[in-house]
Amino acid sequence: MSAVLTAAGFPEEQVRHRARIGEAAVFPALESYGTGLLGAAPAAHDPYDLLERARIVPPVFMPERLKKLIDLAREPLYTDVELDTVIGGFTSRLPLYVSAFGSTRVASRDLGEAAGRQAGRLGIPMVVGENVVPVNGYRASSGSGVSPLLGRIAAYTAAAGEEYGGVVVQQSTEDADAEVWNLVYSDPVSEPLLASGRLAFELKVGQGAKPGLGGLTVLGREAAGRVAEQYATDAVFGADTDAVLRISSPGTFTEEILRQQIRLMRNNFPRVKVWVKLHPGRDVALAAATAWAAGADSVTVDGAEGGTAWAPHAFLGQVGLPLGECLARIGPTGHCLLASGRMWEGGRATKALALGARAVGLGRAALLAVDEDADAGLVRLAESIALELRLLISSLGKYRANALDAEDVLLPSGAAVASRTG
């Protein structure tokens, strides 16, 4: 390393790092793959995060509290707040769901199944991410075990009751080539969920960590060779390492393509609910309205703060609308809108619900919780969020999660909620 030049006020070390290792510097350190949960800049340092800058604003006069008082014949308490709701056609005990983890190593079989078991116990929906089957296979090669996909579904079903929650299986371009939905739809493992109306398929249009970009994972060269027919690879980490970047296609969508995809889902899989996941694009309001008009049961918006997987540095801090901005652009709607991105506590969740979300997704928070305690970590996390939700919703003089609206939140100066409905 040369010590001749310095550049005060310029990111000198980052430039030198790129000069040393080249293309690999575009991504986080390879050593952190499989253990690091990536996302946008910390909330305190993100000036565009409307949800963090917004405040929950209780009124003085509370007519809904008076109605509850009359109904109960006593003064209502926070314990009287009801949090059960309907999420994408599923009855859920809480306005929470477990977001997709995908096929990356951080969502190993053990963690994925632990999350499934606990989500089932909680009675909240769980989304199984894309690319799990093309990367890991649908069934174990020995025929005696199960793949991560089937393992997560089986773990969830075994722990869940017959009334609450549901499983959502994502599909992307490569998953479609592997006929993931066809396999799941006809598999005996899915029959209990189908019979009780608790299986959904989610069309993945995009993701918060990499808007407009497909999934990216790191594989060894041997593993990359096994999936060469489904995926392209790029040796960005250099010829002297075993690691290669596995590239997924983000898929191509227009309004008409999205409408036709949803109609095909409804026609080909009439026993499942239809979900759509959007990345935080600038036309997110139009995309959501298009999906609902075509018959989607639920639309998930993954804000730029979201992400559990592998993404280039440039995307994590500079690409996509923050979740609060997405919610503000979509505005009030009678449809099921789900929101994910940096969710881990009740305050942020309450603001998202007030801005139009039906429920919020736990991604990195869910993985960290099951990593902390594979038996009850996610259950305890959800219970803590539920308590905060009850406290905050009660402070607003309301007693159901879906009673919140935009007047309950003070947005930063200059921000506004869209008035569009539909």
Side-chain angles (χ1 to χ4, degrees):
M1 174 178 173
S2 171
V4 176
L5 298 179
T6 61
F10 192 77
E12 177 184 347
E13 180 47 43
Q14 290 93 317
V15 172
R16 292 185 181 278
H17 178 64
R18 289 183 177 228
R20 288 193 298 271
I21 68 174
E23 291 180 320
V26 171
F27 297 91
L30 190 57
E31 296 77 20
S32 68
Y33 186 78
T35 56
L37 300 178
L38 304 178
H45 302 287
D46 188 349
Y48 294 102
D49 191 337
L50 295 183
L51 291 180
E52 290 299 320
R53 295 164 59 209
R55 292 187 65 84
I56 298 165
V57 286
V60 174
F61 299 125
M62 299 181 179
E64 294 300 318
R65 179 170 290 178
L66 176 60
K67 292 179 182 179
K68 193 71 172 178
L69 182 155
I70 294 170
D71 181 51
L72 296 173
R74 63 167 172 79
E75 285 284 353
L77 304 170
Y78 73 82
T79 50
D80 296 311
V81 173
E82 300 173 37
L83 296 180
D84 59 296
T85 189
V86 177
I87 302 176
F90 302 146
T91 303
S92 179
R93 293 186 184 276
L94 300 170
L96 304 174
Y97 65 95
V98 176
S99 296
F101 300 149
S103 60
T104 53
R105 195 184 305 158
V106 292
S108 67
R109 177 171 165 181
D110 289 344
L111 287 183
E113 291 188 12
R117 282 191 298 272
Q118 294 185 50
R121 285 168 54 193
L122 286 163
I124 63 175
M126 174 188 71
V127 185
V128 181
E130 38 75 60
N131 290 176
V132 174
V133 170
V135 172
N136 299 296
Y138 186 67
R139 297 192 184 278
S141 57
S142 66
S144 59
V146 294
S147 70
L149 172 64
L150 295 181
R152 293 183 205 180
I153 294 174
Y156 184 97
T157 305
E162 297 183 357
E163 182 180 356
Y164 292 96
V167 173
V168 186
V169 179
Q170 258 186 16
Q171 183 167 287
S172 63
T173 302
E174 290 82 9
D175 294 310
D177 292 339
E179 298 189 339
V180 172
W181 286 341
N182 286 324
L183 291 169
V184 172
Y185 196 70
S186 59
D187 198 296
V189 170
S190 306
E191 184 54 36
L193 296 170
L194 282 169
S196 57
R198 292 181 300 144
L199 182 66
F201 289 162
E202 182 173 73
L203 176 65
K204 182 181 178 183
V205 178
Q207 57 193 322
K210 299 180 284 291
L213 199 64
L216 302 172
T217 60
V218 179
L219 298 177
R221 293 182 185 271
E222 181 180 349
R226 292 198 299 269
V227 298
E229 292 186 4
Q230 290 88 18
Y231 298 99
T233 59
D234 193 355
V236 298
F237 304 110
D240 57 344
T241 176
D242 182 56
V244 296
L245 185 69
R246 188 222 70 190
I247 308 167
S248 295
S249 167
T252 302
F253 289 91
T254 63
E255 291 179 57
E256 183 58 26
I257 290 174
L258 180 57
R259 280 193 290 265
Q260 292 298 336
Q261 289 272 26
I262 293 169
R263 288 167 184 161
L264 283 172
M265 292 169 70
R266 295 183 68 84
N267 289 334
N268 295 346
F269 308 106
R271 301 176 68 192
V272 306
K273 305 297 188 295
V274 174
W275 288 30
V276 174
K277 181 176 183 177
L278 303 176
H279 66 250
R282 63 178 186 261
D283 54 354
V284 66
L286 174 60
T290 302
W292 285 317
D297 295 292
S298 182
V299 171
T300 298
V301 175
D302 197 19
E305 304 92 335
T308 57
W310 192 251
H313 289 298
F315 278 77
L316 294 175
Q318 301 183 63
V319 180
L321 296 176
L323 179 58
E325 178 67 21
C326 291
L327 295 174
R329 291 192 182 197
I330 294 171
T333 173
H335 300 288
C336 182
L337 175 64
L338 307 181
S340 55
R342 200 182 275 152
M343 293 293 171
W344 65 275
E345 49 83 33
R348 185 177 180 86
T350 298
K351 296 171 192 176
L353 295 176
L355 292 178
R358 184 77 58 83
V360 299
L362 304 176
R364 283 170 289 177
L367 278 173
L368 289 170
V370 296
D371 186 55
E372 178 67 22
D373 187 334
D375 293 323
L378 177 57
V379 171
R380 295 193 192 102
L381 173 66
E383 288 173 344
S384 73
I385 296 172
L387 174 58
E388 287 176 314
L389 284 171
R390 288 190 171 96
L391 290 165
L392 291 165
I393 294 170
S394 174
S395 77
L396 292 162
K398 299 180 178 180
Y399 294 90
R400 288 199 63 85
N402 60 10
L404 298 175
D405 56 42
E407 69 178 0
D408 296 318
V409 176
L410 174 66
L411 294 175
S413 178
V417 177
S419 60
R420 182 193 64 80
T421 59

